[in-house]
Amino acid sequence: MNIDLKGLKIAIIGGNSPCKQILEILLGPGLKELDLKVVVIADTLTQVEGIKYAREKGLFTTLDYNQVCELSGIDVILKLKNDEILSCILEKVNTEHVSIIDLDAYRAKSFLNFLLAEEERLKIKRKIHADKVDKQEIANLFDQFTATIHKNAEEESRYLKDEREDLLEMEKELSQIIQGSMIPTFIINNEHILTHWNRACEELTGHNAYELVGTDRQWVPFRSAKRPTMADVIVGEMSEEEVSKYYGASWRKSGLINEAYEAEEFFPHLGTDGKWIFFTAAPIKSPDGKVIGAIETLKDLTQDKKTHEELELQDKELSTLYDKYKKSEEKYRSLFNNNPNPIFIIDRQTLEILDVNHRVEEEYGYTKTELLGTPFLDIGDSSDETVKEALKELPENKSILFTKKKHFKKDKSSFFVNVKAVHTTYSHRDVLIASATDITESVEKETQLIQAGKLATLGTMAAGMAHEINQPLNVIQICSDLILKMIKKGLKIPDDELVIMANDIIDNVARAAGVIKHVRDFARQSERDLKKLILNDPINDVFKVLGHQLTVHSVKVDLDLDLELPEIRAEHNRLEQVFINLVTNAIDSMDEKAEEQDSMAEKKLSIKTYVEEGWVIAEVSDTGIGMTDEVKRKIFEPFFTTKETGKGTGLGTSISFGIIKDYKGTIDIISEYGKGARFIIKFPVIG
């Protein structure tokens, strides 16, 4: 980049970080003899660094880009912002008299290097004119200038290469996570340009990613006129007064995520009749703490509000269903058939279906005739003896709720339901009235959250993976090097030694492949499939990936596993996630105690399993910092964490609690601050 700066009158559009750096050089003493002048700085955001600095220096600033085009005497416009509206506005500029220089991230860096080189050139020129110098001194000065130019070129080249590699890798990973999420999500960068708009967002808003990505039009699906989204509020680092100007009393700071905002609002432009949306925006920061973008997630509350009202009405109607039937058979039948959820009337003794409402036929795909007389358990998991026993033992006028049960439609497709059953009388018969609420979407979102927890856990497992894979790789390397050296020296390798080395290579390849397979199996998202298993198995698998980490942190491990444990019904993959979370939290707790209280304290992790009164029990104990009563009360709340910002998501223990609860288990904590913690997990023995 080579520009004659002498006497130029300059306008700058875009007040982000490069703007301030450019202004510091243009207004500094190094370029004073060029007699250049900065006429105006324009940006629609008032709190960006460049605008603030320009005001401090008494320069003219504006929020209206049109004013830049209307000013006379401007020689060059430095465009630091990628705003769609700018393309239309800058078309008005007479490019015969005004040059427009478009500075993206790389070109801005190049322009800054040019200014620094220009400063150095003028500095050398002043020295030559001011002093009498010989030829050698002149040569040295120009060598110095050449070195500066060379350094700037290398820096730009390195910056461009690193930036490209980092962006490609980050874009790949981020796109996979964002696009795979069932939660409507979009991301903007620090210039308010939309970079990601996932499929869930397309489905919610009706606007496709290709229409919006690469522009600053993220507001279009929600507003009739341009207005900052909550993500724009975060990136613009707006004051609370400015946020209230746009969102009134509907916004608040997030109670779960630091520096995040959230709000709930009705958007009449979404869908046919408008939608209620709950949205949360949080900053995306660089390693040095600068805001480089923002992520915003959306949740459609419209159906939730309707469903909540319908469920309240349903519960009220179900509880009085028998009385209403006695008063009016016609009214009962109307309520029964028009209920929003499928309802089954079931014989209490045989558990055969006696009657169903219209909603059952719509949801399950069977006709009423096909269902009458068939066992109710056949539409779900017929081998689930716990449901069968609970229904037959349900006292009169009492109800019971079965959560997350898998039911099957006529076409064999499955979905998840909560089943609420009431023991009452119907047509003078002892019956059960069961209503089924479809919770498939909630289960899928919960599975998505657990999968996100697994991906976060993989970061903790990385050190263990590297160690476990490096060891077999070292053996393979040594054997290969030895064989190669002997071949190069023309030495014959004895057959027995060659067999030993080949077997070592084969064994260690299998070992490395086993570690990779274990990590792949752990990371995959599987269907809910409860199987019989021994609790010791997922516990032992934890040490396949965390063994090295325990060694690095100087943690002694005491395993006391009962080899005669009875089976429980659960999923190996998810239980392993629970114990990985407990072990990593124990390591962090013991490290924290060593830093704060006693660096010489023994770090000891104990895991014990045993059976007691129909329960399989696992106890995980550590000698860490322990917990206060307040922490124990909040430990299983989502996003609650005692770790430093950035070191914990607050999801691990919450997800673990949900997994244990899904398998009819319990978890208790015995802990005192400063004296370690003991987690007691219980699962019912399979009867």
Side-chain angles (χ1 to χ4, degrees):
M1 185 175 291
N2 191 15
I3 305 169
D4 185 4
L5 297 171
K6 189 169 182 62
L8 285 184
K9 291 183 173 57
I10 300 171
I12 300 176
I13 294 178
N16 47 319
S17 181
C19 175
K20 181 182 177 183
Q21 295 175 276
I22 291 170
L23 286 174
E24 286 174 339
I25 298 174
L26 293 178
L27 302 177
L31 303 180
K32 62 182 179 180
E33 56 259 66
L34 294 181
D35 196 29
L36 54 83
K37 183 179 180 182
V38 180
V39 178
V40 61
I41 299 92
D43 202 308
T44 55
L45 302 170
T46 60
Q47 298 301 314
V48 288
E49 289 184 8
I51 293 294
K52 290 180 179 179
Y53 184 79
R55 287 175 179 166
E56 291 173 5
K57 295 298 181 181
L59 298 178
F60 173 55
T61 63
T62 179
L63 303 176
D64 186 357
Y65 297 142
N66 286 296
Q67 283 192 276
V68 177
C69 306
E70 294 167 1
L71 288 173
S72 60
I74 293 177
D75 299 310
V76 64
I77 296 174
L78 302 180
K79 179 173 170 284
L80 294 169
K81 191 163 189 176
N82 186 17
D83 193 327
E84 185 183 45
I85 196 172
L86 277 173
S87 301
C88 301
I89 295 174
L90 292 177
E91 286 180 357
K92 305 174 185 177
V93 176
N94 186 347
T95 52
E96 291 183 3
H97 300 95
V98 181
S99 298
I100 300 174
I101 302 176
D102 195 348
L103 299 177
D104 58 18
Y106 169 69
R107 289 177 180 172
K109 182 70 176 177
S110 179
F111 184 72
L112 280 168
N113 284 337
F114 163 72
L115 293 179
L116 292 170
E118 193 68 2
E119 273 190 327
E120 189 69 21
R121 184 184 69 81
L122 292 173
K123 177 182 176 183
I124 294 171
K125 187 176 179 181
R126 285 195 294 270
K127 186 170 181 62
I128 292 174
H129 288 301
D131 303 326
K132 293 181 179 180
V133 292
D134 58 21
K135 291 182 179 180
Q136 184 58 45
E137 288 178 311
I138 292 175
N140 291 339
L141 289 172
F142 276 98
D143 284 345
Q144 181 182 346
F145 178 73
T146 302
T148 300
I149 296 298
H150 183 66
K151 178 184 175 183
N152 288 345
E154 285 185 336
E155 185 176 292
E156 289 181 28
S157 177
R158 185 168 56 253
Y159 173 85
L160 185 60
K161 181 181 178 182
D162 292 345
E163 190 81 351
R164 177 179 175 81
E165 291 176 354
D166 290 344
L167 285 175
L168 286 173
E169 187 62 29
M170 183 168 59
E171 174 65 20
K172 181 180 177 182
E173 294 176 357
L174 188 60
S175 293
Q176 288 176 346
I177 294 171
I178 296 301
Q179 286 299 333
S181 174
M182 295 176 64
I183 302 171
T185 304
F186 68 85
I187 295 176
I188 64 171
N189 63 19
N190 60 352
E191 294 183 353
H192 300 266
I193 301 302
L194 186 67
T195 60
H196 295 81
W197 184 270
N198 72 355
R199 285 186 288 272
C201 229
E202 290 180 333
E203 190 173 329
L204 175 67
T205 65
H207 286 258
N208 294 317
Y210 68 79
E211 300 172 345
L212 303 173
V213 170
T215 76
D216 64 344
R217 301 176 68 244
Q218 52 270 19
W219 56 271
V220 168
F222 310 102
R223 312 289 183 186
S224 57
K226 187 172 184 178
R227 211 184 88 175
T229 64
M230 193 62 85
D232 291 303
V233 167
I234 296 292
V235 169
E237 298 182 273
M238 292 185 181
S239 65
E240 293 186 14
E241 290 76 16
E242 288 179 285
V243 181
S244 297
K245 172 185 173 183
Y246 292 110
Y247 288 92
S250 68
W251 77 281
R252 58 186 175 274
K253 291 183 178 180
S254 173
L256 299 176
I257 306 173
N258 191 30
E259 298 182 54
Y261 294 158
E262 61 188 34
E264 180 178 324
E265 192 173 345
F266 181 76
F267 295 93
H269 301 286
L270 287 181
T272 306
D273 301 315
K275 293 182 179 180
W276 281 96
I277 302 295
F278 175 81
F279 46 97
T280 299
I284 301 172
K285 293 188 175 183
S286 62
D288 59 0
K290 291 184 179 179
V291 176
I292 59 173
I295 181 169
E296 183 164 337
T297 60
L298 313 170
K299 182 179 180 182
D300 187 353
L301 299 180
T302 310
Q303 191 59 41
D304 288 351
K305 288 179 177 288
K306 293 180 180 178
T307 302
H308 181 71
E309 295 173 357
E310 290 173 353
L311 286 175
E312 286 184 343
L313 178 62
Q314 175 199 343
D315 286 342
K316 183 178 179 181
E317 291 173 342
L318 278 175
S319 65
T320 58
L321 188 59
Y322 177 62
D323 292 334
K324 288 184 177 182
Y325 166 74
K326 289 170 65 177
K327 295 176 182 177
S328 171
E329 171 65 19
E330 182 179 351
K331 186 176 181 180
Y332 154 74
R333 181 54 61 179
S334 175
L335 290 172
F336 181 66
N337 283 325
N338 293 321
N339 193 283
N341 286 331
I343 297 180
F344 301 82
I345 308 298
I346 306 163
D347 185 279
R348 171 119 180 331
Q349 299 302 320
T350 64
L351 298 185
E352 293 179 350
I353 298 173
L354 302 176
D355 198 2
V356 296
N357 68 350
H358 295 331
R359 193 65 174 168
V360 171
E361 296 175 281
E362 294 171 6
E363 290 291 321
Y364 287 79
Y366 292 99
T367 64
K368 184 174 181 178
T369 305
E370 290 173 322
L371 288 172
L372 296 183
T374 62
F376 174 69
L377 296 181
D378 282 358
I379 64 172
D381 183 3
S382 57
S383 64
D384 193 344
E385 293 294 326
T386 57
V387 175
K388 182 177 181 180
E389 292 174 7
L391 288 176
K392 288 196 171 185
E393 295 173 4
L394 184 63
E396 190 173 359
N397 297 323
K398 296 294 183 180
S399 64
I400 189 170
L401 178 66
F402 302 101
T403 60
K404 298 178 184 176
K405 293 299 178 183
K406 185 182 286 188
H407 276 192
F408 297 90
K409 300 184 180 182
K410 185 177 180 179
D411 62 5
K412 306 303 181 184
S413 61
S414 63
F415 61 109
F416 289 93
V417 294
N418 283 346
V419 178
K420 185 176 183 180
V422 180
H423 181 184
T424 185
T425 304
Y426 169 84
S427 296
H428 308 291
R429 295 182 66 172
D430 194 22
V431 299
L432 299 166
I433 301 177
S435 65
T437 305
D438 189 340
I439 58 164
T440 305
E441 184 178 355
S442 298
V443 171
E444 290 173 348
K445 288 181 178 178
E446 179 184 294
T447 302
Q448 187 78 16
L449 184 62
I450 290 174
Q451 185 66 12
K454 283 187 185 179
L455 295 176
T457 304
L458 285 175
T460 303
M461 297 166 63
M465 284 191 297
H467 177 77
E468 291 297 328
I469 293 175
N470 276 335
Q471 283 190 332
L473 287 179
N474 287 337
V475 174
I476 295 168
Q477 182 70 49
I478 291 169
C479 292
S480 301
D481 288 347
L482 181 57
I483 293 171
L484 189 61
K485 285 179 182 178
M486 296 186 75
I487 291 173
K488 286 182 177 179
K489 290 180 179 180
L491 300 175
K492 176 174 174 57
I493 306 173
D495 290 344
D496 56 342
E497 291 184 16
L498 190 61
V499 169
I500 290 171
M501 286 188 286
N503 285 333
D504 283 344
I505 291 173
I506 292 169
D507 291 342
N508 282 278
V509 167
R511 179 180 173 186
V515 173
I516 293 169
K517 181 180 183 299
H518 183 76
V519 173
R520 185 188 297 121
D521 289 343
F522 176 79
R524 69 183 174 85
Q525 182 169 324
S526 57
E527 290 284 331
R528 284 181 58 85
D529 186 15
L530 273 62
K531 296 181 179 178
K532 296 179 180 180
L533 58 83
I534 302 297
L535 187 58
N536 291 343
D537 293 339
I539 293 174
N540 283 321
D541 280 351
V542 169
F543 296 95
K544 292 181 180 178
V545 289
L546 293 184
H548 177 64
Q549 189 165 343
L550 288 161
T551 302
V552 168
H553 288 263
S554 302
V555 177
K556 295 181 180 178
V557 179
D558 181 17
L559 286 182
D560 182 13
L561 306 182
D562 185 351
L563 300 180
E564 302 297 325
L565 285 181
E567 292 180 322
I568 63 171
R569 191 179 294 276
E571 295 161 285
H572 183 288
N573 192 294
R574 289 185 175 180
L575 282 187
E576 184 179 355
Q577 185 177 2
V578 170
F579 287 101
I580 284 177
N581 176 259
L582 293 175
V583 170
T584 53
N585 283 348
I587 294 172
D588 292 342
S589 176
M590 289 185 281
D591 286 346
E592 183 181 353
K593 183 177 181 180
E595 290 175 4
E596 294 183 5
Q597 296 184 359
D598 184 4
S599 59
M600 302 301 293
E602 181 186 35
K603 298 179 182 178
K604 184 177 180 182
L605 172 71
S606 301
I607 302 181
K608 177 182 180 182
T609 60
Y610 56 97
V611 62
E612 185 178 276
E613 298 180 352
W615 294 89
V616 173
I617 303 172
E619 293 186 6
V620 181
S621 307
D622 64 70
T623 58
I625 196 70
M627 287 176 260
T628 63
D629 289 340
E630 182 181 2
V631 171
K632 283 191 284 186
R633 283 195 301 272
K634 295 183 178 180
I635 191 70
F636 297 119
E637 294 179 6
F639 301 103
F640 174 78
T641 179
T642 59
K643 298 177 183 177
E644 296 176 13
T645 303
K647 290 188 177 181
T649 63
L651 288 175
T653 50
S654 175
I655 290 172
S656 297
F657 177 75
I659 292 172
I660 293 167
K661 188 177 178 182
D662 270 357
Y663 305 147
K664 310 300 181 186
T666 64
I667 180 168
D668 296 304
I669 305 170
I670 298 174
S671 180
E672 185 176 345
Y673 187 76
K675 296 184 179 181
R678 179 155 56 109
F679 290 81
I680 303 170
I681 304 103
K682 297 182 179 181
F683 296 102
V685 174
I686 297 176

